[in-house]
Amino acid sequence: MNKEITSREIDYSQWYNDLIIKGGMADYSAVRGCMIIKPYGFALWENMQGVLDKKFKETGHQNAYFPLFVPKSLFEAEETNAEGFAKECAVVTHYRLKSDPDKKGKLIVDPEAKLEEELVVRPTSEAIIWNTYKGWIQSYRDLPILINQWANVVRWEMRTRLFLRTAEFLWQEGHTAHATEQEAIDEAKKMLHVYADFVENYMALPVIRGIKSPNERFAGAVETFCIEALMQDGKALQAGTSHFLGQNFAKAFDVKFSDNNNKLDYVWATSWGVSTRLIGALVMAHGDDDGLVMPPKIAPIQVVIVPIFKGEDQLATISQKVNTEIIPALTALGIRVKFDDDATARPGWKFAEYEKKGVPVRMALGARDLENNVIEVARRDTKEKQSYPLENIANTVADLLEEIQKNLFGRSLKYREEHITNADTWDEFVNLLDTKAGFIAAHWDGTPETEEKIKELSKATIRCIPLDNKLEEGNCILTGKPSKQRVLFARAY
Amino acid sequence: MNKEITSREIDYSQWYNDLIIKGGMADYSAVRGCMIIKPYGFALWENMQGVLDKKFKETGHQNAYFPLFVPKSLFEAEETNAEGFAKECAVVTHYRLKSDPDKKGKLIVDPEAKLEEELVVRPTSEAIIWNTYKGWIQSYRDLPILINQWANVVRWEMRTRLFLRTAEFLWQEGHTAHATEQEAIDEAKKMLHVYADFVENYMALPVIRGIKSPNERFAGAVETFCIEALMQDGKALQAGTSHFLGQNFAKAFDVKFSDNNNKLDYVWATSWGVSTRLIGALVMAHGDDDGLVMPPKIAPIQVVIVPIFKGEDQLATISQKVNTEIIPALTALGIRVKFDDDATARPGWKFAEYEKKGVPVRMALGARDLENNVIEVARRDTKEKQSYPLENIANTVADLLEEIQKNLFGRSLKYREEHITNADTWDEFVNLLDTKAGFIAAHWDGTPETEEKIKELSKATIRCIPLDNKLEEGNCILTGKPSKQRVLFARAY
């Protein structure tokens, strides 16, 4: 165990923060609730962006950029959406500072530079985008519009957590416009599957695809689809959402189109997003008491090579081998490799450092190894070490990276499968939440009131109604009223 | 000439706006001074980002992300910098809206949600970054720090222009920290050359590399290096800047390091940035009265193929050839190609459309061409059309794209060379500005007062003192005082 890192058993929450801070992913900032994404954390985000952006483009979407600010009158146009975000939005009221007449070198807000209309820093961009789409859409020929934006957004959350919940965060938001209801629903579902595929196959994190209950729906949506993941402490985490917005925004912004019969109708909409929150999910799902554990497919560094040497001559010989043979062979296979030949740090320190950073594969090469034409390879996920022939080492490592990726997904899936439990009574439900946690499949009478009451009493929320849910007669765990299907409850991040 | 586009001769400013709006690059927004970058414009920006980001990484920089907001107390810490930006910054004062008690469905700023300390929306990030570096730097071993950030920034400009000057814009800002003054100066110069190389070799726009006079220096810099380009109306445009910040920010934020002799000293800094403003430069430098002209290397679409057909059968035959042979051959060479097989639009309309969008090469393929195994190829820059054998067409096009890239640079360079003129008297100077415009090389007595006076009288500013300037004795055009070198004046965007 790494002494810098609090054990999960002792303090899960501190363990999480330690992984992020000590692993070099992020840092606290001087701005309340905002964080700094450090190069190592940002490199991970860039890899995630790269995969997602490609998927978006392959499914016909284009990137664009809309303003950071939303004038208050636009912000309030879609009332449900406005109500949902009004309580937590940063508001720009002035456009100038001036010298403080009382304190030399200090500045104050210039009262003469008050904006006529306040600007909301976007918490999400439906309002500004639908106000724009109004000018772009006249006929069915202008549809569909399939646009995505990579951007920063601000939600003034009272309690913040690194990556999981920050006042400012980075995300992408897709905003699409369609001629028919069905096409919009299909789009929302398609993008949910794109997210699920990304999170499962790149982040090695199994997710449940489902529909949100009305209480948990995005403000302004008709239906919210979501992917839900399970963390190591048995709490759930919403990893991405995709919304069918119906004609709500089209009506709020008066966006109509004429169909091929020249009939006017409001446009149908979707929006969908994932954010840097996913990084929090990755940390919590795969990390251990030694630090981060990066899924190979998106790891900033996939392989680190540490030379074991005495004196400069040995280092030179090892470096020669590494730089002229091993690294070229690895990079030829597209493997991201780092050679840490810093002579001022000891190998043991480096081992701990790259463990903390969750580098999937560590290779150590000493003079003796070179003589024997072997290299020591350690995998981060299982901690297993093994000596491999240097011949063909690149392919050995490529296979190992794939195996690690599979293993991470497999063990997360096993944990998740073991943590979906049925509860048939209220006592069973509460007891499970307090002991085993995870997802609890239970009957619910379908009313928002009962959902709210369950949340109040147990701090558990309905995470989703799985897309592939089976119908089953039963009785609501709280009210005993009849129910036609179980839904998934959990305490959540 | 395209009828939708105002001619340069008639109204240069309207011509510029027409190119951007009609070319589908951007749109006006509901937010004062902010614009929407549409997919076609954003695709160009993505290509520019791709090249620059690679260059930054090749020169050892890593990306990171710092908060959008700067608390007022940090913002004002470096006084020159604060003074420079205070007059044009958006200020967040509240973190909540609430229902308007007087108007149903409307929102007002909640006076109870006033921030204790106002937050400035970053106009540039030196303050927030140097406040962070303070925690990252103790010893020379922590140096250099070579970080870049892709971000949005806000400067509340009173007069805005699409791309050239918008309240919010996208940019990258590099922020580096060094142990020695020389290393920081070298870094600032190195990044200036990276910018110059990018603008010249990818944007096909020649630039003059120089040093800013004190009046034009970045607020908080010791020295500002810049690249200056010339537009078709003879006005100059600052295309990128790189600043040597000395120890100004280190002192303001108390960032010291111990050197290898355990001596404490303040850290040396640089910052450097280019922005979406470059897109404005590209539009103005290469466009003509038919629309945009995209340099091939960064064009969102490099080649468009338009089928010329009567009836579905002909279209099917042509499409078969295009989709199974021509497009695969082009994409195999990394060429970005679009096949516009929309049967509802006429070829002439498409020709005008892609001319407006500045697609470097347009290919038209008809049934007769297919029989003769030829294809018509038109280049956007010279409007020349020629029939080429279909055999080996991909290589023909690849060569043509290179030739277009060279030609665009060549003609811009020729124009620029013809528009650097010496002026030895005030009358000559003013006369040149009003007639030929361009850069005017003139003697200046070296004082900020004279520089200011010249600006007042002529609206021309010192664009830069070229890095390779020759010393030459002379007399200031305004004051007649002795001068040791000419500097470059121009009216500028």
Side-chain angles (χ1 to χ4, degrees):
Chain A
M1 286 202 302
N2 191 306
K3 284 181 198 161
E4 286 184 80
I5 294 167
T6 308
S7 149
R8 277 166 291 190
E9 294 295 314
I10 290 170
D11 186 341
Y12 188 86
S13 171
Q14 188 55 47
W15 164 78
Y16 173 76
N17 288 343
D18 283 352
L19 254 55
I20 288 169
I21 301 294
K22 308 283 169 63
M25 299 275 281
D27 205 349
Y28 298 106
S29 87
V31 191
R32 195 201 145 285
C34 294
M35 61 182 233
I36 289 144
I37 306 180
K38 294 177 79 171
Y40 190 61
F42 202 83
L44 174 67
W45 180 239
E46 286 181 306
N47 289 345
M48 292 164 68
Q49 281 188 299
V51 177
L52 283 167
D53 198 68
K54 193 156 170 280
K55 284 177 185 283
F56 298 157
K57 284 173 178 158
E58 282 166 358
T59 46
H61 303 86
Q62 294 180 296
N63 289 329
Y65 189 76
F66 294 83
L68 170 68
F69 298 133
V70 188
K72 186 165 71 65
S73 57
L74 293 187
F75 182 79
E76 65 198 3
E78 208 296 318
E79 282 190 44
T80 316
N81 187 253
E83 252 176 51
F85 289 101
K87 287 183 286 293
E88 52 182 35
C89 62
V91 188
V92 175
T93 57
H94 292 75
Y95 59 84
R96 192 162 65 218
L97 295 174
K98 64 169 194 175
S99 298
D100 186 338
D102 301 328
K103 282 185 212 153
K104 200 179 136 22
K106 301 288 172 184
L107 298 167
I108 55 168
V109 173
D110 185 346
E112 284 175 28
K114 192 170 184 310
L115 289 169
E116 273 182 48
E117 179 177 13
E118 295 89 351
L119 299 172
V120 174
V121 181
R122 63 180 163 218
T124 181
S125 299
E126 280 78 6
I128 192 84
I129 287 179
W130 277 87
N131 183 62
T132 306
Y133 282 178
K134 183 181 168 57
W136 294 358
I137 300 169
Q138 278 86 41
S139 116
Y140 70 95
R141 283 187 206 87
D142 302 318
L143 296 172
I145 294 180
L146 304 173
I147 282 183
N148 174 62
Q149 157 169 292
W150 291 96
N152 53 344
V153 286
V154 172
R155 296 177 186 177
W156 206 263
E157 307 270 4
M158 276 305 147
R159 274 192 267 171
T160 57
R161 292 287 302 272
L162 291 164
F163 285 114
L164 291 179
R165 199 173 291 274
T166 48
E168 181 193 9
F169 58 89
L170 303 182
W171 79 344
Q172 59 67 221
E173 44 182 329
H175 294 273
T176 69
H178 306 267
T180 69
E181 179 174 19
Q182 191 56 48
E183 193 184 300
I185 293 173
D186 290 347
E187 163 81 7
K189 282 188 185 166
K190 182 202 280 177
M191 299 321 289
L192 187 80
H193 294 306
V194 164
Y195 288 155
D197 174 64
F198 169 72
V199 176
E200 297 197 328
N201 295 321
Y202 290 82
M203 298 182 59
L205 193 51
V207 292
I208 291 171
R209 304 163 200 217
I211 297 175
K212 284 287 183 196
S213 58
N215 284 15
E216 299 286 325
R217 213 175 263 155
F218 176 75
V222 172
E223 195 85 277
T224 287
F225 301 95
C226 64
I227 49 173
E228 295 283 328
L230 199 61
M231 302 295 103
Q232 291 182 58
D233 61 348
K235 282 170 85 171
L237 187 145
Q238 176 180 298
T241 50
S242 182
H243 316 292
F244 167 57
L245 303 171
Q247 297 175 312
N248 292 346
F249 285 90
K251 284 177 182 167
F253 291 95
D254 194 30
V255 189
K256 288 179 189 163
F257 74 105
S258 59
D259 67 16
N260 48 11
N261 298 317
N262 260 322
K263 223 187 98 225
L264 273 183
D265 192 11
Y266 289 107
V267 176
W268 300 88
T270 83
S271 68
W272 29 274
V274 295
S275 74
T276 38
R277 178 161 223 248
L278 280 177
I279 296 177
L282 181 149
V283 170
M284 271 204 184
H286 298 309
D288 64 23
D289 287 353
D290 289 322
L292 298 161
V293 175
M294 294 279 180
K297 281 197 190 170
I298 51 171
I301 306 167
Q302 295 176 310
V303 175
V304 64
I305 305 174
V306 176
I308 315 291
F309 62 96
K310 279 184 193 150
E312 280 181 28
D313 285 357
Q314 278 196 3
L315 178 57
T317 315
I318 294 167
S319 297
Q320 165 78 7
K321 185 78 177 177
V322 170
N323 286 321
T324 63
E325 291 182 33
I326 303 177
I327 291 181
L330 289 169
T331 50
L333 296 183
I335 295 170
R336 296 182 287 275
V337 58
K338 176 177 174 169
F339 177 39
D340 187 346
D341 60 354
D342 179 358
T344 68
R346 296 180 43 240
W349 184 88
K350 290 179 188 174
F351 286 9
E353 190 63 17
Y354 295 106
E355 251 172 32
K356 235 171 25 182
K357 286 187 173 306
V359 175
V361 168
R362 180 190 75 219
M363 295 163 84
L365 187 63
R368 175 89 49 96
D369 296 323
L370 257 186
E371 280 168 27
N372 298 328
N373 257 304
V374 295
I375 190 163
E376 187 192 83
V377 178
R379 48 191 283 187
R380 177 64 184 86
D381 58 341
T382 58
K383 306 284 175 65
E384 287 162 352
K385 276 195 287 195
Q386 198 178 322
S387 204
Y388 286 96
L390 268 172
E391 205 191 337
N392 209 21
I393 190 65
N395 286 311
T396 307
V397 168
D399 292 346
L400 189 56
L401 288 170
E402 262 188 52
E403 198 181 311
I404 293 170
Q405 182 81 26
K406 269 188 209 150
N407 179 50
L408 290 181
F409 182 78
R411 74 187 192 190
S412 291
L413 183 61
K414 182 162 177 287
Y415 178 83
R416 207 271 308 273
E417 294 306 318
E418 288 167 0
H419 286 80
I420 303 184
T421 320
N422 284 0
D424 291 315
T425 67
W426 179 254
D427 285 352
E428 219 180 324
F429 180 76
V430 174
N431 186 42
L432 273 168
L433 280 174
D434 288 339
T435 52
K436 192 180 170 191
F439 290 114
I440 302 173
H443 281 283
W444 157 63
D445 66 19
T447 69
E449 297 74 27
T450 301
E451 186 180 359
E452 191 55 39
K453 188 81 188 167
I454 292 173
K455 185 178 174 183
E456 239 180 80
L457 294 170
S458 69
K459 289 181 183 152
T461 49
I462 298 177
R463 301 319 302 158
C464 72
I465 302 150
L467 287 184
D468 58 359
N469 220 19
K470 286 188 198 110
L471 294 187
E472 176 199 299
E473 300 284 332
N475 297 90
C476 174
I477 43 160
L478 188 73
T479 64
K481 286 183 190 160
S483 148
K484 290 211 177 336
Q485 62 182 344
R486 290 176 189 271
V487 300
L488 292 183
F489 286 89
R491 287 180 183 147
Y493 283 98
Chain B
M1 284 201 306
N2 191 307
K3 285 181 197 160
E4 286 184 79
I5 294 167
T6 309
S7 149
R8 277 166 290 191
E9 293 296 314
I10 291 170
D11 185 342
Y12 188 86
S13 172
Q14 188 56 46
W15 164 78
Y16 172 77
N17 288 344
D18 283 352
L19 255 54
I20 288 170
I21 301 293
K22 307 283 169 62
M25 298 275 282
D27 205 348
Y28 297 106
S29 86
V31 192
R32 197 200 144 284
C34 294
M35 63 182 229
I36 288 143
I37 306 180
K38 293 178 80 171
Y40 190 62
F42 203 82
L44 174 66
W45 180 239
E46 285 181 307
N47 289 345
M48 292 165 68
Q49 281 188 298
V51 177
L52 283 166
D53 198 69
K54 191 157 171 281
K55 284 177 183 283
F56 298 157
K57 284 173 179 159
E58 282 166 0
T59 46
H61 304 85
Q62 294 180 297
N63 289 330
Y65 189 76
F66 294 83
L68 170 67
F69 299 133
V70 188
K72 187 166 71 65
S73 58
L74 294 187
F75 182 79
E76 66 197 4
E78 209 294 321
E79 282 190 45
T80 315
N81 186 254
E83 252 174 51
F85 288 100
K87 287 183 286 295
E88 53 182 36
C89 62
V91 189
V92 175
T93 56
H94 293 74
Y95 58 86
R96 192 161 65 218
L97 296 173
K98 64 169 193 173
S99 298
D100 186 339
D102 300 328
K103 281 185 213 153
K104 198 177 139 20
K106 300 288 173 185
L107 298 168
I108 54 168
V109 173
D110 185 346
E112 286 176 28
K114 193 171 186 307
L115 289 169
E116 272 182 49
E117 178 176 12
E118 293 89 352
L119 299 172
V120 174
V121 181
R122 62 179 165 220
T124 180
S125 299
E126 280 78 6
I128 191 85
I129 287 179
W130 276 87
N131 183 61
T132 306
Y133 283 179
K134 183 181 167 58
W136 295 357
I137 300 169
Q138 278 87 41
S139 118
Y140 69 96
R141 283 188 206 89
D142 303 317
L143 297 170
I145 293 180
L146 304 172
I147 282 182
N148 173 62
Q149 156 169 291
W150 291 96
N152 53 344
V153 286
V154 172
R155 296 177 186 177
W156 207 263
E157 307 270 4
M158 277 303 148
R159 273 193 269 171
T160 57
R161 291 288 302 273
L162 291 164
F163 286 115
L164 290 178
R165 199 172 290 276
T166 48
E168 181 192 9
F169 59 88
L170 303 183
W171 79 345
Q172 60 67 220
E173 44 182 328
H175 294 274
T176 68
H178 305 267
T180 70
E181 179 175 21
Q182 192 55 50
E183 193 183 300
I185 293 172
D186 290 346
E187 163 81 7
K189 283 188 184 165
K190 181 202 282 176
M191 298 321 288
L192 186 80
H193 294 306
V194 165
Y195 288 156
D197 174 64
F198 169 71
V199 176
E200 298 197 327
N201 295 321
Y202 290 83
M203 297 181 60
L205 194 51
V207 292
I208 292 170
R209 305 162 199 219
I211 297 176
K212 285 286 181 197
S213 58
N215 283 15
E216 300 285 326
R217 212 176 263 156
F218 176 76
V222 172
E223 194 84 279
T224 287
F225 301 96
C226 64
I227 49 174
E228 295 282 328
L230 199 61
M231 302 296 102
Q232 291 183 56
D233 61 348
K235 284 171 81 172
L237 187 146
Q238 175 180 299
T241 50
S242 182
H243 317 292
F244 166 57
L245 303 171
Q247 298 175 312
N248 291 347
F249 286 89
K251 284 176 181 164
F253 292 95
D254 194 31
V255 189
K256 288 180 189 162
F257 75 105
S258 59
D259 67 15
N260 48 12
N261 297 317
N262 261 323
K263 221 186 101 228
L264 273 182
D265 192 10
Y266 289 106
V267 176
W268 299 87
T270 83
S271 67
W272 30 275
V274 295
S275 74
T276 38
R277 179 162 224 246
L278 280 179
I279 296 178
L282 180 148
V283 170
M284 272 204 185
H286 299 309
D288 64 23
D289 287 353
D290 290 321
L292 298 161
V293 176
M294 294 280 179
K297 280 197 190 169
I298 50 170
I301 305 167
Q302 295 175 310
V303 176
V304 63
I305 306 174
V306 177
I308 316 289
F309 62 96
K310 279 186 192 148
E312 279 182 28
D313 284 358
Q314 278 196 5
L315 177 58
T317 315
I318 293 168
S319 296
Q320 165 78 4
K321 185 78 176 175
V322 171
N323 286 320
T324 63
E325 292 181 33
I326 303 176
I327 291 182
L330 290 168
T331 50
L333 296 183
I335 295 170
R336 296 182 286 277
V337 56
K338 177 177 174 171
F339 177 39
D340 187 347
D341 59 355
D342 180 358
T344 68
R346 295 179 47 239
W349 184 88
K350 289 180 188 174
F351 287 8
E353 190 64 18
Y354 295 105
E355 251 174 30
K356 236 172 25 184
K357 286 188 173 305
V359 175
V361 169
R362 180 191 74 219
M363 296 162 84
L365 187 63
R368 176 88 50 93
D369 296 322
L370 256 185
E371 279 168 30
N372 298 330
N373 256 305
V374 295
I375 190 163
E376 187 192 84
V377 178
R379 47 191 285 187
R380 177 64 184 87
D381 58 341
T382 60
K383 305 285 174 67
E384 288 163 350
K385 275 195 289 196
Q386 198 177 326
S387 205
Y388 287 96
L390 268 172
E391 205 190 338
N392 209 22
I393 190 65
N395 286 312
T396 308
V397 168
D399 291 347
L400 189 56
L401 288 170
E402 262 187 51
E403 199 181 311
I404 295 170
Q405 182 82 27
K406 270 189 208 148
N407 179 49
L408 289 181
F409 182 78
R411 73 186 192 190
S412 292
L413 183 62
K414 182 162 177 289
Y415 178 83
R416 206 271 310 274
E417 294 306 317
E418 288 167 0
H419 286 81
I420 304 183
T421 321
N422 283 1
D424 292 314
T425 68
W426 180 253
D427 286 351
E428 219 180 326
F429 180 75
V430 173
N431 188 41
L432 274 169
L433 279 174
D434 289 337
T435 53
K436 191 180 171 192
F439 290 113
I440 301 172
H443 282 282
W444 155 63
D445 67 18
T447 69
E449 297 72 27
T450 302
E451 185 181 358
E452 190 56 39
K453 189 81 187 166
I454 293 174
K455 186 179 174 183
E456 239 180 81
L457 295 170
S458 70
K459 289 184 184 148
T461 49
I462 298 177
R463 301 318 303 157
C464 70
I465 302 150
L467 287 184
D468 58 359
N469 220 20
K470 286 187 199 112
L471 293 187
E472 175 198 301
E473 299 284 333
N475 297 92
C476 175
I477 43 159
L478 188 71
T479 64
K481 288 185 189 159
S483 148
K484 291 211 178 333
Q485 61 183 345
R486 291 177 189 270
V487 299
L488 292 182
F489 287 89
R491 289 182 182 144
Y493 282 98

